[in-house]
């Protein structure tokens, strides 16, 4: 039910934007208006998908960088212990 409501809101907003855009351009048929509204609604879903994809990618890159930094710091700590034992 949430998907249907979300789609209806997006389609309504896309329809209003398409109507405004075609009004500014000076014309358009009902078929063109509906197809432009569907294209704009589809574009919002595509943008949402891209945001989620890049958010997951960025989080995994940040987590990997954190693990590498932690390993480096642990290595430095172990290196200092070895130098103290040798002297």
């Amino acid at each position: 039910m949430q998907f249907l409501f979300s789609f209806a809101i997006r389609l309504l907003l896309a329809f209003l934007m398409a109507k405004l855009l075609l009004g500014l351009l000076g014309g358009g048929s009902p078929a063109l208006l509906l197809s432009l509204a569907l294209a704009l609604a589809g574009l919002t879903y595509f943008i949402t998908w891209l945001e989620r994809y890049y958010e997951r990618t960025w989080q995994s890159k940040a987590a990997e960088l954190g693990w590498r930094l932690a390993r480096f710091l642990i290595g430095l700590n172990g290196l200092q212990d070895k130098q103290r034992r040798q002297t």
Side-chain angles (χ1 to χ4, degrees):
M1 194 67 167
Q2 181 182 0
F3 174 77
L4 185 62
F5 181 72
S6 172
F7 179 72
I9 294 295
R10 288 180 191 216
L11 187 61
L12 175 67
L13 292 175
F15 182 79
L16 292 174
M17 288 301 297
K19 180 92 171 149
L20 180 68
L21 183 65
L22 288 177
L24 289 175
L25 293 176
S29 66
L32 181 62
L33 177 64
L34 186 59
S35 62
L36 183 59
L38 287 173
L40 288 174
L43 185 64
T44 61
Y45 281 106
F46 180 68
I47 290 171
T48 302
W49 177 79
L50 281 178
E51 286 176 346
R52 288 182 183 162
Y53 174 76
Y54 283 116
E55 182 180 323
R56 285 190 311 256
T57 304
W58 179 252
Q59 285 176 352
S60 66
K61 298 271 187 211
E64 181 181 343
L65 182 63
W67 278 108
R68 286 185 183 204
L69 182 63
R71 285 188 208 130
F72 175 73
L73 293 174
I74 290 170
L76 284 180
N77 192 21
L79 186 64
Q80 288 176 355
D81 287 342
K82 287 182 183 177
Q83 288 177 350
R84 286 182 193 162
R85 288 182 204 158
Q86 290 176 356
T87 58

